[in-house]
Amino acid sequence: MIARLHFNKHLLETPFYPRTAPLNKHSEWGAWSGHLSATGFGDTEMEYTAIRNGASVYDLCPMVKYRITGPDAVAYLDRLTVRNVAKLTPGGVHYTVWCDDAGKVLDDGTLFRHGPQDFLLCCQERHLPWLTDATLGFEVAVEEITETIAALSLQGPCTASVLSAAGWDVSSLRPFRMTKVPFDGTTLTISRTGFTGDLGYELWIGPAHALALWDHLFTAGAPWGIRPIGSDALNMARIEAGFLIAGMDFIPAEQALREDRVRSPFELGLDWLIDWNKDHFNGRRALIRERESRASQWSLVGLDIAGNVSAEGSLIYHAKQKEVGYITAALWSPTTKRNLAIAHLKRPYAAAKSDNLWVEIYALRELQYVKLMVPARITPRPFFTPARRRATPPGRF
Amino acid sequence: MPSSDVIVIGGGPNGLAAATRLAQSGRRVTLVEAQPQVGGGAATTEFHTGYRTSALAHILQGPDARVASAMKLDAHGLRLSTPLTTAVPGIDPLTMQGTFGKVSGLAATDLAAWSELQERLTRFARLLAPMRQMTPPRPAAKAGNDLWNLGKLGLSLRSMGKVEFRELLRMLLINVADVLEDDLTDDRLMGLLAFDATLGAWAGPRSPNSLIVYLNRIAAGETLTLPMGGMGSVAAAMRKAAEAAGVTVLTGSPVDRIDMAADIVIGVTLANGENFAAGAVLSAICPRRTLETLVGPRYLDTGFIRRARAIKSRGGAAKLHLALTGAPHFPAADLTWRIVLAPSVNAVENAFNPVKYGEVPDAPVMEITFPTAHDPSLAPSGHHVLSAVVQFAPHAPKDRDAARAQMLQNTLNVLETAAPGLRPLIAHAEILMPYDIEDRFGMSGGSWHHGDLAVEQMLFLRPFAGVSQYNTPIPGLWLGGAGSHPGGGISGAAGWNAATQLLQGAKP
Ligand SMILES: Cc1cc2nc3c(=O)[nH]c(=O)nc-3n(C[C@H](O)[C@H](O)[C@H](O)COP(=O)(O)OP(=O)(O)OC[C@H]3O[C@@H](n4cnc5c(N)ncnc54)[C@H](O)[C@@H]3O)c2cc1C
């Protein structure tokens, strides 16, 4: 019998741990899907600067990954998710969401099409029971493979140069496409994807080759100041890019305890993903009803807030009086030099009544909170979207 | 392609009732039935050369009053026996009139307690009876509930007074054994009541919430009769009524799938590939089969399919048919009666216990009729047919054939003890186990009600939350078989209710 002693370790180490641990000088760790995940490597500002000005490396291993294969894989995913999967060609990636029967979002994620019948779905939460029950009537297999893939996110304007120095020419790789290259006796998948809104790539490989990949990348990237980053720096970049995180910007419908916490794609500003012309997908009928009866309660918006105090967790008021929303993510953005936030606003305060919005901020000033009431206005997301993000071939910096 | 306003799937009593209701309201209706004849559980079969009997359901309690009058079943040739007396045979027999009527032969000690209990349960059952003819209310805002009838029900609940209302609430979720043992001592009466309470259920008298199932049974009709010519006569009369109303009846036409376009029902495809177009489809077969097989998961949501697959559908009743070369003798009982062999509450409970583990009870309890005592034409002259519902039988034993053989032996042993000399009269014996019933009649798990009738699958939870008002998430698809409220029996109530909702055009 094999001793199953995994429970002795409360959080698992990722395959990159032998490299990240010595570099994590202040032992800044958090938990992500049952794994140890670095929140920082000692200097969040420098890490953020690497994302925006150089080359940064983030350990993506804990991200939940499902492999979906079989002759009905496309039909299955089209029924599961709101976007049109048939339009995603092999070698392509798209961002999508999936809903429960009531049309409330269960999670968002990225779907990688590795072959005609071979997909990888990456997301924040675990969904195996739902994904498995959804296979009924489809010739398809769903397998959780989170721990069988080691992944790094390489983000920043210099990352194409780093990859080129590493020996991989990605100059023709367009955003949301992937390519496969030989490395260390195996296949390395490089996708032009990321969570920073910048030029960047994600690298996928078997765990046994993880350290070789790390070492190779850090050697090649040294001239560009390549450095590991933690989730704090990544979070700054993702807010600037306007991306959402399940569990932080919305409660996945399966986890919500309070009736009014669940959100539909309309209420998260994600209805643009929905393909109304494809066949039935989960939640479709509820979403049609919501659309037709204008039943959406909330809007998700970007806010530009006066001043420079980050409004994390703040409540939003109309005319300083009526509570009309709340902020789920905020920062003073170093790149745009604006005080930004992602917020949920009750309708119609995101549109017809969007003037006269105020944010109540509790600013901590030397152990004492000071209450500020500052004006805010709705501003388009993404807040920061540089041309280099999409340029193909990518710029050489 | 042939086209109609509504296609009704399944020609059991509910399908026939629904089709008639729709046609009588001016809809062009086609009813498609898989078998060569309509009827479903309402059928007459020749189970042995020269011997005919009701193939499944044998006693008529009802049908639903609206169905009976609108379909004019008597005018369409249905003849019924005189109302049945139920007997618990023995040296000291006990009889009961109708479903829950007058009892004779009761010991003096129980007389007062029984009349009080009978009066109370009858009152409760009558109070709940109107529910059977209503669309179940949905506990949600703007649910489109039948407020008028709910209001009436509310008023009658209020008018019963605080003490009685509290008593109703106490009783609502209680088990039937507790109620009986609180008030009565006579084993014959308690055994009979415990048997009737659990007839057709997957529950023993000590199972939680068993009393409400009994109240529902009492509410379904106060008299019991046998149809002349067997239960198939009911189906034949219903078919005539349906055709008189303009329904096109197609038999031998199993539906393979329900067709949709742009998320709306457009018709059905038969197993032979033939298409029939319609603006709406009302399915009077099992809800799970309708949704999972005829519609298919691709057109439904995952949570919804989960709930459809979670419908509990466990048959606990077997059906026994004996061809007898003469009249058996049950002490002090008449063959025109309904004879119940259930000696005590514990006898019923003990017959249920093994079924929980997929096993056969040593001493099953049963309800016996002799259709030939009312209609001698069902067997050769002087011969008889014994038709019995025998409880409890496992719906999923490890070895089906062994369980069937064991069930038959144990049943015959009980019968021989009750009516010595019966065995040598048997020319042929047939017993249908729940799985045989599923195979032959298409009822999931062999369930009497196309899904357990239990408090967690009643009213707005029948067949499951979200489809209790006969409509489904798919525009144009309606459910109207025994799996829907108020459940099964040769009644047509569920089909009638569903057709009423369809006519009112309730939205999903
Ligand atoms: C052992 C036993 C004894 C019973 N005894 C009694 C009794 O004494 N008294 C009583 O009132 N009730 C009795 N019942 C209950 C009664 O038989 C049922 O509740 C009743 O038949 C349900 O009626 P229904 O119309 O909903 O469905 P059913 O009678 O089951 O009819 C459904 C019909 O649909 C047809 N069908 C199925 N699939 C398809 C398809 N794909 N395409 C087309 N047609 C299809 C079937 O062939 C069938 O004709 C008994 C049940 C059992 C199991």
Side-chain angles (χ1 to χ4, degrees), chain B residues 8-16 32-35 37-42 56-61 199-200 231 253-256 270 284-286 289 294 315 317-319 367 388-390 432 434 437 440-443 446-450 480-483 487-492 494:
Chain B
V8 173
I9 304 176
N14 281 312
L16 287 163
V32 280
E33 163 59 46
Q35 299 293 324
Q37 74 292 324
V38 295
L56 192 65
H58 60 171
I59 294 177
L60 197 58
Q61 181 193 5
L199 184 59
M231 203 55 87
S253 306
V255 172
D256 194 48
L270 302 188
I285 71 168
C286 293
R289 210 168 276 207
L294 299 189
K319 188 73 198 297
E367 148 191 283
V389 175
V390 186
L432 303 179
I437 292 167
R440 197 178 291 189
F441 298 92
M443 298 166 166
S447 166
W448 185 295
H449 300 281
H450 292 190
I490 307 304
S491 144

Side-chain angles (χ1 to χ4, degrees), chain A residues 72 75 79 101 129-130 133-134 136-138 254 280-285 289, chain B residues 260 263 292 297-307 309 473-475 508:
Chain A
D72 283 340
R79 157 30 161 59
D101 296 13
W130 181 263
D133 286 357
L136 188 78
F138 295 91
E254 268 183 332
H280 181 71
F281 60 87
N282 213 85
R284 183 175 188 272
R285 296 181 188 106
R289 271 201 301 280
Chain B
M260 303 210 295
D263 212 30
E292 193 182 335
R298 288 181 184 222
Y299 300 98
L300 294 167
D301 287 342
T302 299
F304 185 85
I305 275 289
R306 269 184 183 167
R307 278 178 285 154
R309 285 163 60 84
I474 296 179

